Amino acid sequence: MTGSATSQNNDIETCIRGRFDAVALVVEANPTPEEFRAAQSRLGALMREMPSGAHIALLTRHPALILTTLVGHAATRTSDGDFWNGYFDAIGVPADRSFSAAVTAFAGDMLRESGLLDAAELRSDDLVPLLELHAGLPPRDVDALVDVIEAHVAAGRAPSGTAILDHLTEPGFAHRMSVLPNGFRTLLDHAPDIAATFLARICATLVATVASPDDWAGDRLTTATVDLPPTILAALRVRLERAAFLAGDTAAVALCTARFPELRYDVSEGSLTVIVPSDAAATTWRVWAGDAPEQVSVGANEAAVIPVTAALRECVLVSLDTGARRSVPVLLPGDPIVLFAPDGRVMSRHRTLPAGPVVALVPNDAQLLGSGRTPVPITETHAGPWEGWLLRTVDLEGHSTLTVHRDGRPGQTRRVRPVESPSIELPEPLPGITTRDGDPVFGERPLVDLPAHEGDDVKEWRVRVRRAGDVEWLVDYPWAAEDYVTSADPFDGVDGPLLGRYEIAVSDSYRLDLRRVADIAEGLDVVHEPAVRLPVEKGLTESATQFTVGDGLSVDDETVEFAPDVTERITSVSAGDDTLELVVRPPHALVRIERSGVPAAWQTSLAELDVTALDHHRLAVYVPGAVDVSFALLDGDLDIVREWDADGRSGAEFSLATRGVADAAKRLVAGTLVALIDDESGETDEAPIATVVRGGRQASAPSIVVEDPLINEWMRLDAAHAEETGAPPTESPLDAAEAPVDELLTADPTASLLALADSPVSPDRVPAMFIRSGLAELPFTSTGRSGASHPNPYIGCTLAMSAIVDPAAPDRDEVQAYLTTRGGEELLRLLASGRMSDPRTGVFDRNVLAVDAMGRDMVDALFQHFRIVPGPVLDLDMRTSATIDAFHRRVEWMADPVSVEAPRHVNTMLRDVRRSSPEMYDLIAARNEALDGVDTGGNPWMLLSMQSMCFAAVARLQAHGRLKQGGLTDEGRAMWARLADYFPGMVSTDVLIANAVAVRAAALA
């Protein structure tokens, strides 16, 4: 830090300031402990030579030197004793409080004179926090940060700096930040890019010492291999010498040697997926990546690709073999945007964005604003993977920030790099080719684009490459910027062909630390014929994949052929002693049919659509690259019987309700449902997706085994209800409405509720099953974090309410944060006071009656906004969305005989509610007030909100022993379940509201 050993005193300041020219924090200049000690020694000598009390002269002549000695003491001290006493010992002079007072008073001037960052709020009471900011991370903060990382991985979370920041900074969970050391929180506030880099490098180093302990032994951890400032690295090495990372925690150690599930966007197929990486053993996962959980079996040494079919906060995967839980964040309701890098990986909200094109997944009614709240240019727009979402390519050049705005409310402001920043440019991945872990493979070398540099000074960028996991860099080379954009080969000097997994790093400081990991098979190319495999009678169209290779590269199979029942094959590519296994999976269509009591799963074989079945729901087809899909029913002679447009779309997934198909096929002896597929070139392909049969239901059930007896019972009840109703809802007989309690499902209410949440029963049918079984009338107990943070927010909040009123329940801060983020502020208000801010909102009222004459499309257009982003379930948007869903089925409900009997039953129950709970009765009465001026005699369906709330009130008061008289009978239970068949969203919401009031009443009692 002092320049050369021969520097004279009048040169010291110049040398140090030269190191500070391009940095804002002292730590960015990479001073070593030895340089800090040399500076302290030099200052001590100066102070001994100067007259006593000549502090101002010293501060004026040597501000950079003095700051270096102060920061050096903050960066290396291991004791929490008095800072100043230790400091004077370090510089070798007697304690002088007048000097420390002068330094404190003039610290801001000294920092500005030295060209360093000043944060006045950090030095208002004590100078030490500001000095520690400039130190980066003092040893005690490095120790504390390792503890945080260790606890994070031990909890089963992804072992990466990004995952740690995502978890600790999740909106609504502010209490989590308390585990971070103060020094790191300060760094995160004032230098977020540096903080994120330090955390990422520390975390990666800790993981490497577990994954490859011999390669990453302590003596090999240098500033070149680890990319940490010398003082922070020294503290990290001391910590590892004292105790190995994750010592003794076998399960957590395994996370350091295996890949974690990742969210990925496939540009070529337009799909958003979760990649479950390969493992040595076959694994079965329960996965929440859409509306209902799926059971996914992953073979040994195979990866799984799971489509994310609905907008959701996170994808959750639970291993049915080990119980391990993996959570992959997707989006935040208050910040509805997902950004993707060129290789399809999600770009962290904690990292700066490139000053150029970025792909953003956003709601169609969101604005993307840059610096000065000006719109950023949108260069390309495509349909997103979820209804109401778009994929927009935006150009961030000329902007320093990016913020998504919706409803006038801004999301998180993301920082954009300066225009003069490099970028790592990845080539197009080889289509249909991945590694065993599901990563894309590139047939060309990535390049590094270096920005044009204006000015006479020399601007250098450090470009490095190494094999992923290795300590030593293959290339570590400075590239000088020109006055024009240049493309640099980061592998310059490395003989080709490249084969394997490589890490590419480009930086000029800790603030700008770009990294990419890429699997490269240089010189490999591939062609699939056909480009997309479509369904045929026995599976998928036969196809062939043809490989071509450059010099020095060879493949095991130049042509890989696929029979109709084969979707992927394994082959290998080699170069010298290096070999890379490839998974060849040509793009292909998938079909999924939903039925009661049967887990829905994507399949490549044709679905069977039984016209005699009583449980018709939905059929979906997923076609990569499809622009539009419609459907046609063909008879045995292949003539068209009827055609339909898709009534649902989510990216490349198109769906159709099967009831209409079954009705149209009733007179057919045999038939086929085909998909008419329009591609980007304007051509249309036709492919069968289902055969029309009679009595073939059992033969077409997917071969998925569910071992949990409670889940099996829920599926049996779901299927039995479909059989009992026997006909479309509009023809259901009143005498079918008998619902006795299911004793197996009510023996352990809490376990049964969790099993229902984990079952593949469609979310639209869960409320009716919950009621029909008798579970809705029973109390639930605290289950700990696993139950009170369930991916199904209705069930998770129900269990979390039991936990929050239990003083002995653990993790109360986590439970309350879950209730806030998944349930909403209204839920907490109900728990605290038994009342809502305005119980007349989000229910049937005069405004709903005003749209009665409108067509469904027009109503959906009016209220589409409420459906797009999944917020807390009791927020107004979500309650309104549930009400609109109920509005659409009002006519069907009024045609059901149960709708005639329900008002009489509700009037009887109202008296019981009034006697038992004034708060609950007020909620029901408020819904009646919302109908002032409405002709409920002519529009009896307008009473549905009030009736739904009354049923929920009686059941949950009964569950908590707060109902003084009455209760649900078998008849009442059946009526309520029937109501839930039609209006699942409304019923779920009201159960949650009623449960909050009843839980509060029981706790107060």
Side-chain angles (χ1 to χ4, degrees), residues 750-879:
T750 302
S752 184
L753 184 62
L754 280 170
L756 175 60
D758 292 343
S759 76
V761 173
S762 168
D764 284 346
R765 302 195 299 276
V766 164
M769 295 297 101
F770 175 67
I771 296 165
R772 192 164 276 115
S773 64
L775 204 60
E777 303 147 56
L778 297 174
F780 307 104
T781 56
S782 174
T783 61
R785 286 282 306 283
S786 60
S789 59
H790 199 276
N792 183 320
Y794 292 100
I795 291 175
C797 285
T798 299
L799 294 169
M801 282 188 264
S802 299
I804 202 68
V805 297
D806 180 1
D811 299 320
R812 290 172 60 81
D813 286 341
E814 279 289 308
V815 173
Q816 179 162 326
Y818 177 86
L819 285 169
T820 304
T821 55
R822 271 61 168 185
E825 295 291 343
E826 288 287 4
L827 185 57
L828 292 184
R829 186 177 288 109
L830 283 162
L831 285 168
S833 67
R835 303 185 184 280
M836 297 178 69
S837 56
D838 188 350
R840 297 166 299 180
T841 58
V843 300
F844 282 132
D845 59 12
R846 289 188 300 274
N847 294 324
V848 174
L849 187 62
V851 299
D852 183 36
M854 295 182 183
R856 176 164 187 150
D857 290 346
M858 187 177 294
V859 174
D860 282 342
L862 277 176
F863 294 98
Q864 182 194 47
H865 167 85
F866 296 102
R867 304 172 182 274
I868 297 176
V869 180
V873 292
L874 289 193
D875 274 9
L876 179 59
D877 281 10
M878 299 292 284
R879 288 185 284 123

Side-chain angles (χ1 to χ4, degrees), residues 41 67 105 107 111 288 466 497 514 520 537 570 588 770 795 872 891 937:
S41 175
L67 287 171
L111 287 163
W288 284 264
R466 63 184 170 191
L514 305 182
I520 304 171
E537 184 178 350
I570 306 294
H588 60 269
F770 175 67
I795 291 175
V891 176

Side-chain angles (χ1 to χ4, degrees), residues 264-273 340-345 359 380 382-383 391 393 427-429 431 440 622 624-625 652 680:
R264 190 81 55 77
Y265 172 62
D266 189 316
V267 178
S268 62
E269 297 190 6
S271 61
L272 186 64
T273 58
F340 300 100
D343 62 350
R345 298 176 193 269
V359 177
E380 203 171 353
H382 297 284
L391 281 158
T393 302
E428 288 291 324
Y622 168 81
E680 292 181 346

Side-chain angles (χ1 to χ4, degrees), residues 930-944:
L931 298 175
D932 284 348
V934 173
D935 178 14
T936 55
N939 301 279
W941 55 270
M942 287 292 289
L943 295 169
L944 277 167

Side-chain angles (χ1 to χ4, degrees), residues 58 94 145 240 248 276 343 425 573 658 724 828 848-849 882 897:
L58 191 62
L145 200 56
L240 288 173
V276 183
D343 62 350
E425 299 298 323
V573 57
T658 56
E724 287 167 6
L828 292 184
V848 174
L849 187 62

Side-chain angles (χ1 to χ4, degrees), residues 322-337:
T322 65
R325 176 183 167 120
R326 305 286 180 258
S327 178
V328 182
V330 181
L331 65 93
L332 296 169
D335 186 39
I337 182 172

Side-chain angles (χ1 to χ4, degrees), residues 327-365:
S327 178
V328 182
V330 181
L331 65 93
L332 296 169
D335 186 39
I337 182 172
V338 189
L339 297 168
F340 300 100
D343 62 350
R345 298 176 193 269
V346 174
M347 302 179 77
S348 170
R349 56 192 172 94
H350 304 289
R351 289 292 197 176
T352 52
L353 302 173
V358 170
V359 177
L361 176 60
V362 291
N364 59 18
D365 56 359

